[in-house]
Amino acid sequence: MTTAISSNEKIFIDSHYGVVVHRDFKPLYADDTYAAYYGYTSSEEVLALPSLLQLISQPERTKALATYDGVMSGRLKPGVRSYKNIDNAGNELIVLTVDHIVEWQGEPAMQITIIDLSSQIETQRQLQASEERYRELIDGSIQGIVVHRNLTPLFCNRAYALMHGFENEQAMIEHGSILPFIEQPFHQQAFEESAALINGTAETIKAEVKGFKADGSTIWLSLLSRPVIWNGEQAVQVTAMDITEQHVLREKLEHQANYDGLTNLLNRRATSEILAQQFEVAKVEKQALSCVMIDLDNFKHINDQYGHQVGDEILCLFAKVSLQNLREGDILGRWGGEEFILSLPGQDQLQAAAVANRLCQALSQAAVKTKYGELFFSASMGVATVCPEITSLDQLVSKADRALYQAKHNGKNCVSVLHDTEDEP
């Protein structure tokens, strides 16, 4: 796996650690902490070095070269290692490193994170503590990381705890399970992915899931999961990024693309796509499907006499009243102007006519308030139903449109039905 880093992006890592990025040991980036470890006053002095090999003791250079080639080629996994290094004054340092492949200016490079263990090498406890801390640095310290076994957390970093609304890592761990922070529809997915990583059928799994914070508010996470060994046993490490803002923005853009901005009904394009799918299902599975074309009566006169603001209020009231009188699976969309289309899956001709008549009556009882008093309005509707003679959605819509024309001809504020044998009203 590689992580993209732009050349002008600051790498946010705890100040106790030094970071350098190189390609074939030619330094591409170094922070000031890294420079200070080797006796330099600034990162620019490190970047001026012809090769980082001069900072590695002579006996260790062959090992460093082999490790670089192995990790970059994929033969070795990125990991935690120790080296003897030399500062610019010739003093020997013992450092712990974490190597990690990143993308730098469009090409793979190696990121090395180091800590100076010269004063700590005596104690195994300090070494182990450092290795544990480095487990959270593999995918970057600004990301949330949790290690779990069967969704029971064994470890999490501060970023993961904070993104779930906990004050610290321990509070998250003590909760006992990460499952309550995943929305129920994603539970089965979580169990299956965990099992796949543990039993070796998957090496890494990427997913986006909806979850919850400690206070119950919603959070969307982008997850990268992989198997790890934790205290000698198989476990799963999950790297999490909070994408709630991106997800909300994406939903907003998708809504804008599919819904009418005034009535909040589906727009013509989105309605056409759904109708096409419903039509194909109805024809293949021989299911009933009816279509109702709806037009608000005398709408131009309303706009001319009362103004477009009142006209807009009527359009919105039409949408509200209609949705209150339809089933959850019925599809109502704005076809254009004051014209709407209603799809009634599973409804035959008689049932669709009954729905249209009920809706027509409900609309005739609705009114908007104007400075002249309450303004009532009405709608005319044409009903058509899928039959053997109809072989395309265009034919079904056209038949409903002809039925609508007949309703207008019959005096408006009514429903007209074209029977299967009728081609023209």
Side-chain angles (χ1 to χ4, degrees):
M1 172 186 173
T2 61
T3 303
I5 302 177
S6 63
S7 57
N8 60 353
E9 181 181 2
K10 184 177 180 181
I11 300 178
F12 294 93
I13 295 198
D14 190 296
S15 60
H16 294 296
Y17 307 103
V19 177
V20 67
V21 178
H22 71 87
R23 188 178 295 118
D24 293 320
F25 295 90
K26 172 65 178 176
L28 306 172
Y29 167 89
D31 65 9
D32 289 337
T33 303
Y34 181 90
Y37 278 159
Y38 294 91
Y40 295 100
T41 58
S42 69
S43 59
E44 285 76 14
E45 292 183 72
V46 175
L47 296 179
L49 296 175
S51 174
L52 295 178
L53 284 174
Q54 69 187 68
L55 303 180
I56 303 173
S57 67
Q58 186 67 41
E60 300 271 272
R61 292 179 184 177
T62 301
K63 171 186 171 183
L65 287 167
T67 300
Y68 175 85
D69 290 338
V71 172
M72 296 299 289
S73 66
R75 297 192 307 273
L76 293 178
K77 291 183 178 181
V80 180
R81 314 174 202 281
S82 61
Y83 290 93
K84 289 183 180 180
N85 283 187
I86 302 171
D87 65 16
N88 65 351
N91 300 312
E92 186 176 90
L93 307 172
I94 299 177
V95 298
L96 186 71
T97 71
V98 175
D99 44 56
H100 183 40
I101 300 177
V102 298
E103 186 176 294
W104 187 273
Q105 295 182 335
E107 295 183 20
M110 179 172 285
Q111 174 184 310
I112 302 292
T113 308
I114 73 161
I115 182 171
D116 182 4
L117 296 182
S118 300
S119 63
Q120 303 167 317
I121 198 65
E122 302 89 353
T123 66
Q124 184 64 25
R125 182 190 61 81
Q126 290 174 322
L127 177 60
Q128 290 174 345
S130 297
E131 290 174 342
E132 289 176 2
R133 292 192 65 186
Y134 268 101
R135 291 177 183 177
E136 71 180 75
L137 294 177
I138 296 298
D139 285 320
S141 62
I142 63 172
Q143 298 171 318
I145 297 177
V146 62
V147 177
H148 70 82
R149 188 174 295 118
N150 297 323
L151 302 176
T152 298
L154 307 173
F155 161 86
C156 77
N157 67 353
R158 182 171 176 79
Y160 188 87
L162 291 177
M163 71 173 55
H164 283 86
F166 289 91
E167 293 184 359
N168 53 58
E169 304 92 309
Q170 191 59 34
M172 180 82 193
I173 296 294
E174 290 176 353
H175 200 274
S177 174
I178 62 175
L179 197 61
F181 304 104
I182 304 173
E183 191 180 46
Q184 199 280 331
F186 295 95
H187 283 189
Q188 186 62 31
Q189 175 185 339
F191 281 115
E192 292 176 354
E193 291 179 351
S194 177
L197 291 166
I198 293 295
N199 62 30
T201 58
E203 294 184 358
T204 59
I205 296 178
K206 294 181 179 180
E208 290 187 6
V209 300
K210 182 180 181 181
F212 305 101
K213 294 185 178 182
D215 61 4
S217 58
T218 298
I219 183 174
W220 278 92
L221 297 175
S222 174
L223 306 178
L224 176 62
S225 302
R226 62 184 60 177
V228 294
I229 301 297
W230 190 268
N231 292 334
E233 297 183 37
Q234 286 280 359
V236 175
Q237 173 186 296
V238 181
T239 304
M241 292 188 64
D242 186 346
I243 59 168
T244 305
E245 290 187 7
Q246 298 94 310
H247 191 86
V248 170
L249 177 60
R250 183 171 63 193
E251 285 186 332
K252 182 178 179 180
L253 294 175
E254 289 177 352
H255 187 86
Q256 290 176 346
N258 294 311
Y259 286 81
D260 173 55
L262 177 63
T263 63
N264 206 33
L265 297 175
L266 288 166
N267 59 27
R268 181 164 183 156
R269 181 194 61 77
T271 305
S272 297
E273 291 179 358
I274 296 175
L275 286 174
Q277 296 171 0
Q278 292 181 337
F279 182 83
E280 290 303 316
V281 171
K283 295 295 286 185
V284 172
E285 300 187 7
K286 302 187 185 306
Q287 297 177 353
L289 174 66
S290 295
C291 175
V292 183
M293 292 297 295
I294 306 171
D295 187 80
L296 301 186
D297 299 326
N298 307 312
F299 191 72
K300 183 178 183 303
H301 172 73
I302 292 173
N303 272 335
D304 292 343
Q305 183 169 349
Y306 296 94
H308 287 278
Q309 181 175 346
V310 172
D312 288 348
E313 291 179 10
I314 287 178
L315 291 172
C316 292
L317 183 58
F318 163 83
K320 179 181 178 180
V321 173
S322 297
L323 293 176
Q324 290 172 344
N325 286 271
L326 295 174
R327 301 171 304 169
E328 185 175 346
D330 298 334
I331 301 299
L332 178 64
R334 189 175 182 185
W335 205 240
E338 69 273 19
E339 193 170 45
F340 300 83
I341 190 167
L342 171 62
S343 172
L344 300 171
Q347 301 283 293
D348 60 23
Q349 187 171 271
L350 290 176
Q351 293 170 320
V355 172
N357 277 296
R358 184 173 67 250
L359 180 57
C360 194
Q361 183 179 5
L363 290 170
S364 66
Q365 297 173 356
V368 297
K369 293 182 178 180
T370 72
K371 62 182 179 181
Y372 305 106
E374 288 188 327
L375 175 62
F376 290 85
F377 64 98
S378 63
S380 300
M381 304 185 190
V383 178
T385 302
V386 171
C387 61
E389 290 76 19
I390 293 179
T391 59
S392 70
L393 177 61
D394 288 342
Q395 289 179 332
L396 179 65
V397 174
S398 177
K399 189 172 183 179
D401 201 43
R402 295 196 303 272
L404 171 62
Y405 178 84
Q406 183 65 49
K408 292 286 190 181
H409 182 74
N410 291 343
K412 304 179 181 179
N413 191 24
C414 63
V415 176
S416 177
V417 179
L418 280 188
H419 298 285
D420 294 349
T421 57
E422 296 181 79
D423 287 330
E424 298 293 339

